[in-house]
Amino acid sequence: MPAYAQDRDVEVLAPPVPEFPRDAAARGVQGQCYVRFSVDAEGYAFDLRASCTEPIFCNEAKLAVSRARFSPKLIGGVPTIRSNIVYPIDFILSEWNWLLFKFVPVEAYEPGPTEPCDEIAVS
């Protein structure tokens, strides 16, 4: 089947911008999440599910993706729902954490395996 000039996959217009959870920063916890979701014909994310190395990041990862904006998938120039998109989000403390005013070595961080988060609705 030939591809049409008006065909395109979902594109990120305004990327997810997560906030580092204060409790995680206070404890020096870092992590990685993978958020699986769909994008509707208007470019909004829905049906969000997250898997994270640390549960403390689950809600913020989903919130960040829910606030992001996307251009919808086009098939023959018609906006279409796109499912099964995965967006990685890293929660890494910067070398100088201004919230805590202390030095945190970034080099020491290696994410572990991710676990599915409890499914809590994001609004």
Side-chain angles (χ1 to χ4, degrees), residues 11-12 17 38 42 54 56 61-62 68 72 81 86-88 92 94 102 104 108 110-111:
E11 296 176 357
V12 179
V17 181
S38 299
E42 284 83 42
E54 299 292 334
I56 196 166
K62 290 192 297 186
I81 291 175
V86 178
Y87 201 100
I92 300 173
S94 62
K102 72 176 187 179
V104 179
E110 287 189 31

Side-chain angles (χ1 to χ4, degrees), residues 30-118:
Q30 302 180 97
Q32 184 176 51
C33 296
Y34 293 98
V35 182
R36 186 175 302 273
F37 61 101
S38 299
V39 171
D40 68 16
E42 284 83 42
Y44 294 95
F46 70 98
D47 192 25
L48 295 102
R49 295 173 306 251
S51 294
C52 299
T53 56
E54 299 292 334
I56 196 166
F57 299 117
C58 293
N59 193 47
E60 184 55 39
K62 290 192 297 186
L63 279 172
V65 172
S66 74
R67 293 186 298 249
R69 291 298 165 252
F70 304 89
S71 63
K73 178 178 183 168
L74 296 179
I75 297 178
V78 178
T80 307
I81 291 175
R82 168 72 154 83
S83 300
N84 207 30
I85 300 167
V86 178
Y87 201 100
I89 297 180
D90 293 323
F91 290 91
I92 300 173
L93 292 166
S94 62
E95 287 188 21
W96 182 258
N97 184 336
W98 290 102
L99 178 64
L100 301 176
F101 298 100
K102 72 176 187 179
F103 181 77
V104 179
V106 174
E107 311 79 52
Y109 173 69
E110 287 189 31
T114 61
E115 296 290 330
C117 299
D118 291 334

Side-chain angles (χ1 to χ4, degrees), residues 1-24:
M1 177 177 233
Y4 294 93
Q6 299 98 346
D7 288 356
R8 89 162 176 243
D9 204 354
V10 168
E11 296 176 357
V12 179
L13 298 176
V17 181
E19 293 182 22
F20 205 102
R22 288 182 182 258
D23 290 347

